[in-house]
Amino acid sequence: MDETIAGTEAAQIPKQRGESLLETAVRYAEERHWDVFPGTWLEAVDGVQYCSCGDAVCAAPGAHPAREDWATQATGSPTVARRMWSTHPTASILLPTGRTFDALSVAETAGFLALARMERMELTLGPVTLTPDRRMHFFVLPGAAAKTPDLVRKLGWSPSLLDLVALGEGSYVAGPPTRFGSRGAVQWACRPTPANRWLPDAEELVSPLAYACGRDR
């Protein structure tokens, strides 16, 4: 996947193959200064993986908050993160939005179309995740959730007609390599690198994302 996207050279974070969730969570806090918090985890029963929440039909097995007060649990301290994951080393890595970043969420098909368009426009991207439920999350500066609807309207679209969701305060995204049950793991479509440490503003990405979502309707 990485070779299809420009500017995704390997750097500090992460080559996660074989790296524990604990160490990855610590690195997110230490190297990227992202807040992190542990979510649910997967438990095997007779060879079948279930979410630790106990719901046999969990919509995001092993990849959602384990407690209602998760927002107060999130930390940017590598030391605290290490302590929290030491209790449940296989807990998912969840990243709250509305703090160091917001996220623009679109369907996978629209996301890849937008990435190709952004490459032609020579836009500088922040990190982008690809989830097993076929969503892509584009990391942008905080504040995107408040202004994205107006930005979409200025482009001539009704926000309710586009599958373009801005995640801000009170929301979260799952960080790689968190797994969604048997569906697979969250991956980087565009890895965190020193070059994209400074995130783009939503205004830079909404136009190509809205165009792609309109094409994908």
Short mmCIF file of all heavy atoms in Angstrom, two decimals, residues 156-193:
data_model
loop_
_atom_site.label_atom_id
_atom_site.label_comp_id
_atom_site.label_asym_id
_atom_site.label_seq_id
_atom_site.Cartn_x
_atom_site.Cartn_y
_atom_site.Cartn_z
N GLY A 156 -20.50 24.04 -2.39
CA GLY A 156 -21.74 23.76 -3.09
C GLY A 156 -22.39 22.43 -2.73
O GLY A 156 -23.34 22.01 -3.38
N TRP A 157 -21.88 21.79 -1.68
CA TRP A 157 -22.44 20.51 -1.25
C TRP A 157 -23.23 20.67 0.04
O TRP A 157 -22.91 21.52 0.87
CB TRP A 157 -21.33 19.49 -1.00
CG TRP A 157 -20.59 19.03 -2.21
CD1 TRP A 157 -19.40 19.51 -2.67
CD2 TRP A 157 -21.00 18.00 -3.11
NE1 TRP A 157 -19.04 18.84 -3.80
CE2 TRP A 157 -20.00 17.90 -4.10
CE3 TRP A 157 -22.11 17.15 -3.19
CZ2 TRP A 157 -20.07 16.99 -5.14
CZ3 TRP A 157 -22.18 16.24 -4.22
CH2 TRP A 157 -21.18 16.17 -5.19
N SER A 158 -24.22 19.82 0.22
CA SER A 158 -24.89 19.72 1.51
C SER A 158 -24.13 18.69 2.34
O SER A 158 -23.91 17.57 1.87
CB SER A 158 -26.34 19.26 1.33
OG SER A 158 -26.90 18.93 2.60
N PRO A 159 -23.68 19.06 3.54
CA PRO A 159 -22.91 18.10 4.36
C PRO A 159 -23.63 16.77 4.57
O PRO A 159 -22.98 15.72 4.66
CB PRO A 159 -22.73 18.84 5.69
CG PRO A 159 -22.78 20.29 5.31
CD PRO A 159 -23.78 20.37 4.20
N SER A 160 -24.95 16.79 4.60
CA SER A 160 -25.70 15.56 4.84
C SER A 160 -25.67 14.61 3.65
O SER A 160 -25.99 13.43 3.77
CB SER A 160 -27.16 15.88 5.19
OG SER A 160 -27.79 16.54 4.10
N LEU A 161 -25.26 15.11 2.48
CA LEU A 161 -25.24 14.28 1.28
C LEU A 161 -23.89 13.63 1.03
O LEU A 161 -23.77 12.77 0.15
CB LEU A 161 -25.64 15.12 0.06
CG LEU A 161 -27.06 15.68 0.06
CD1 LEU A 161 -27.31 16.49 -1.19
CD2 LEU A 161 -28.08 14.55 0.19
N LEU A 162 -22.87 14.05 1.76
CA LEU A 162 -21.53 13.49 1.57
C LEU A 162 -21.13 12.64 2.77
O LEU A 162 -21.39 13.00 3.91
CB LEU A 162 -20.49 14.61 1.40
CG LEU A 162 -20.60 15.48 0.15
CD1 LEU A 162 -19.43 16.46 0.12
CD2 LEU A 162 -20.63 14.64 -1.12
N ASP A 163 -20.46 11.55 2.49
CA ASP A 163 -19.94 10.69 3.56
C ASP A 163 -18.57 11.22 3.97
O ASP A 163 -17.54 10.57 3.78
CB ASP A 163 -19.86 9.25 3.08
CG ASP A 163 -19.43 8.29 4.19
OD1 ASP A 163 -19.40 8.71 5.37
OD2 ASP A 163 -19.10 7.13 3.87
N LEU A 164 -18.57 12.42 4.52
CA LEU A 164 -17.36 13.09 4.98
C LEU A 164 -17.63 13.54 6.42
O LEU A 164 -18.42 14.45 6.65
CB LEU A 164 -17.03 14.29 4.09
CG LEU A 164 -15.92 15.25 4.54
CD1 LEU A 164 -14.62 14.51 4.81
CD2 LEU A 164 -15.71 16.34 3.49
N VAL A 165 -16.98 12.88 7.35
CA VAL A 165 -17.25 13.11 8.77
C VAL A 165 -16.00 13.68 9.44
O VAL A 165 -14.90 13.11 9.31
CB VAL A 165 -17.65 11.80 9.48
CG1 VAL A 165 -17.96 12.05 10.95
CG2 VAL A 165 -18.86 11.17 8.78
N ALA A 166 -16.15 14.79 10.12
CA ALA A 166 -15.04 15.39 10.87
C ALA A 166 -15.13 14.95 12.32
O ALA A 166 -16.14 15.16 12.98
CB ALA A 166 -15.07 16.90 10.76
N LEU A 167 -14.07 14.33 12.81
CA LEU A 167 -14.01 13.84 14.19
C LEU A 167 -13.20 14.81 15.04
O LEU A 167 -12.02 15.04 14.76
CB LEU A 167 -13.38 12.45 14.23
CG LEU A 167 -14.05 11.38 13.37
CD1 LEU A 167 -13.25 10.08 13.40
CD2 LEU A 167 -15.48 11.15 13.82
N GLY A 168 -13.85 15.37 16.06
CA GLY A 168 -13.18 16.30 16.94
C GLY A 168 -13.32 15.89 18.39
O GLY A 168 -13.27 14.70 18.72
N GLU A 169 -13.52 16.87 19.25
CA GLU A 169 -13.61 16.60 20.69
C GLU A 169 -14.72 15.59 20.99
O GLU A 169 -15.84 15.70 20.48
CB GLU A 169 -13.87 17.90 21.44
CG GLU A 169 -13.82 17.75 22.96
CD GLU A 169 -13.97 19.06 23.69
OE1 GLU A 169 -14.10 20.11 23.01
OE2 GLU A 169 -13.95 19.06 24.92
N GLY A 170 -14.40 14.60 21.81
CA GLY A 170 -15.36 13.58 22.18
C GLY A 170 -15.33 12.35 21.31
O GLY A 170 -16.05 11.39 21.57
N SER A 171 -14.49 12.37 20.27
CA SER A 171 -14.36 11.21 19.38
C SER A 171 -12.94 10.66 19.46
O SER A 171 -12.08 11.21 20.16
CB SER A 171 -14.71 11.60 17.94
OG SER A 171 -16.05 12.01 17.83
N TYR A 172 -12.70 9.61 18.72
CA TYR A 172 -11.38 8.98 18.73
C TYR A 172 -11.20 8.18 17.44
O TYR A 172 -12.17 7.90 16.72
CB TYR A 172 -11.23 8.03 19.93
CG TYR A 172 -12.22 6.88 19.92
CD1 TYR A 172 -11.91 5.68 19.29
CD2 TYR A 172 -13.48 7.01 20.49
CE1 TYR A 172 -12.82 4.64 19.23
CE2 TYR A 172 -14.40 5.98 20.44
CZ TYR A 172 -14.06 4.80 19.82
OH TYR A 172 -14.99 3.78 19.75
N VAL A 173 -9.96 7.84 17.15
CA VAL A 173 -9.66 6.91 16.06
C VAL A 173 -8.77 5.81 16.64
O VAL A 173 -8.09 6.00 17.65
CB VAL A 173 -8.95 7.59 14.88
CG1 VAL A 173 -9.85 8.65 14.25
CG2 VAL A 173 -7.63 8.23 15.31
N ALA A 174 -8.81 4.66 16.00
CA ALA A 174 -7.94 3.55 16.40
C ALA A 174 -6.60 3.69 15.69
O ALA A 174 -6.56 3.96 14.48
CB ALA A 174 -8.59 2.22 16.06
N GLY A 175 -5.52 3.55 16.45
CA GLY A 175 -4.19 3.67 15.86
C GLY A 175 -3.63 2.31 15.46
O GLY A 175 -3.87 1.31 16.14
N PRO A 176 -2.89 2.25 14.36
CA PRO A 176 -2.21 1.01 14.00
C PRO A 176 -1.30 0.55 15.13
O PRO A 176 -0.73 1.39 15.83
CB PRO A 176 -1.39 1.42 12.77
CG PRO A 176 -2.13 2.60 12.20
CD PRO A 176 -2.64 3.33 13.40
N PRO A 177 -1.15 -0.75 15.36
CA PRO A 177 -1.71 -1.88 14.61
C PRO A 177 -2.93 -2.51 15.29
O PRO A 177 -3.08 -3.74 15.29
CB PRO A 177 -0.54 -2.87 14.60
CG PRO A 177 0.08 -2.67 15.96
CD PRO A 177 -0.09 -1.21 16.29
N THR A 178 -3.80 -1.71 15.88
CA THR A 178 -5.02 -2.20 16.52
C THR A 178 -5.81 -3.09 15.56
O THR A 178 -5.96 -2.76 14.38
CB THR A 178 -5.90 -1.02 16.97
OG1 THR A 178 -5.21 -0.31 18.00
CG2 THR A 178 -7.25 -1.49 17.49
N ARG A 179 -6.31 -4.21 16.07
CA ARG A 179 -7.09 -5.14 15.25
C ARG A 179 -8.58 -5.00 15.52
O ARG A 179 -9.00 -4.77 16.65
CB ARG A 179 -6.67 -6.59 15.54
CG ARG A 179 -5.23 -6.91 15.16
CD ARG A 179 -4.96 -8.41 15.21
NE ARG A 179 -5.73 -9.12 14.21
CZ ARG A 179 -5.36 -9.24 12.93
NH1 ARG A 179 -4.22 -8.71 12.51
NH2 ARG A 179 -6.10 -9.92 12.07
N PHE A 180 -9.37 -5.16 14.47
CA PHE A 180 -10.83 -5.22 14.56
C PHE A 180 -11.24 -6.69 14.45
O PHE A 180 -11.59 -7.16 13.38
CB PHE A 180 -11.48 -4.43 13.42
CG PHE A 180 -11.54 -2.94 13.62
CD1 PHE A 180 -10.40 -2.20 13.91
CD2 PHE A 180 -12.74 -2.26 13.49
CE1 PHE A 180 -10.45 -0.83 14.07
CE2 PHE A 180 -12.80 -0.88 13.65
CZ PHE A 180 -11.66 -0.15 13.95
N GLY A 181 -11.13 -7.42 15.54
CA GLY A 181 -11.49 -8.83 15.52
C GLY A 181 -10.75 -9.57 14.43
O GLY A 181 -9.55 -9.40 14.24
N SER A 182 -11.49 -10.40 13.68
CA SER A 182 -10.89 -11.20 12.60
C SER A 182 -10.81 -10.43 11.29
O SER A 182 -10.33 -10.96 10.29
CB SER A 182 -11.71 -12.48 12.39
OG SER A 182 -13.04 -12.15 12.02
N ARG A 183 -11.27 -9.15 11.30
CA ARG A 183 -11.31 -8.38 10.05
C ARG A 183 -9.95 -7.82 9.66
O ARG A 183 -9.76 -7.37 8.53
CB ARG A 183 -12.33 -7.25 10.17
CG ARG A 183 -13.78 -7.73 10.05
CD ARG A 183 -14.75 -6.60 10.24
NE ARG A 183 -15.03 -6.35 11.65
CZ ARG A 183 -15.73 -5.31 12.09
NH1 ARG A 183 -16.16 -4.40 11.25
NH2 ARG A 183 -15.95 -5.16 13.38
N GLY A 184 -9.00 -7.82 10.57
CA GLY A 184 -7.68 -7.31 10.26
C GLY A 184 -7.30 -6.13 11.13
O GLY A 184 -8.03 -5.75 12.05
N ALA A 185 -6.15 -5.55 10.82
CA ALA A 185 -5.59 -4.48 11.64
C ALA A 185 -5.68 -3.13 10.94
O ALA A 185 -5.69 -3.04 9.70
CB ALA A 185 -4.13 -4.79 11.97
N VAL A 186 -5.72 -2.07 11.74
CA VAL A 186 -5.61 -0.71 11.21
C VAL A 186 -4.20 -0.54 10.64
O VAL A 186 -3.22 -1.01 11.23
CB VAL A 186 -5.86 0.33 12.31
CG1 VAL A 186 -5.82 1.74 11.74
CG2 VAL A 186 -7.19 0.08 13.00
N GLN A 187 -4.10 0.10 9.49
CA GLN A 187 -2.81 0.30 8.84
C GLN A 187 -2.60 1.78 8.55
O GLN A 187 -3.54 2.57 8.56
CB GLN A 187 -2.75 -0.48 7.52
CG GLN A 187 -3.01 -1.96 7.63
CD GLN A 187 -3.04 -2.60 6.26
OE1 GLN A 187 -2.11 -2.48 5.47
NE2 GLN A 187 -4.15 -3.27 5.95
N TRP A 188 -1.35 2.12 8.26
CA TRP A 188 -1.05 3.47 7.79
C TRP A 188 -1.16 3.50 6.28
O TRP A 188 -0.49 2.73 5.59
CB TRP A 188 0.36 3.89 8.20
CG TRP A 188 0.54 4.16 9.65
CD1 TRP A 188 1.33 3.47 10.52
CD2 TRP A 188 -0.08 5.20 10.41
NE1 TRP A 188 1.22 4.01 11.78
CE2 TRP A 188 0.37 5.08 11.74
CE3 TRP A 188 -0.98 6.21 10.10
CZ2 TRP A 188 -0.06 5.94 12.75
CZ3 TRP A 188 -1.41 7.07 11.11
CH2 TRP A 188 -0.94 6.92 12.41
N ALA A 189 -2.01 4.36 5.74
CA ALA A 189 -2.00 4.64 4.30
C ALA A 189 -0.94 5.70 4.01
O ALA A 189 -0.35 5.73 2.94
CB ALA A 189 -3.37 5.12 3.84
N CYS A 190 -0.72 6.56 4.99
CA CYS A 190 0.35 7.57 4.93
C CYS A 190 0.97 7.62 6.32
O CYS A 190 0.31 8.05 7.27
CB CYS A 190 -0.21 8.92 4.51
SG CYS A 190 1.04 10.19 4.23
N ARG A 191 2.18 7.16 6.45
CA ARG A 191 2.80 7.00 7.76
C ARG A 191 3.18 8.34 8.41
O ARG A 191 3.46 9.31 7.70
CB ARG A 191 4.08 6.17 7.65
CG ARG A 191 3.86 4.73 7.22
CD ARG A 191 5.22 4.03 7.04
NE ARG A 191 5.02 2.66 6.62
CZ ARG A 191 4.86 1.64 7.46
NH1 ARG A 191 4.86 1.86 8.75
NH2 ARG A 191 4.68 0.41 7.00
N PRO A 192 3.23 8.38 9.73
CA PRO A 192 3.79 9.56 10.41
C PRO A 192 5.28 9.65 10.12
O PRO A 192 6.00 8.66 10.25
CB PRO A 192 3.54 9.28 11.89
CG PRO A 192 2.52 8.19 11.92
CD PRO A 192 2.75 7.38 10.69
N THR A 193 5.73 10.81 9.69
CA THR A 193 7.15 11.04 9.41
C THR A 193 7.53 12.42 9.94
O THR A 193 6.65 13.24 10.24
CB THR A 193 7.44 11.00 7.90
OG1 THR A 193 6.85 12.16 7.29
CG2 THR A 193 6.88 9.73 7.24
#
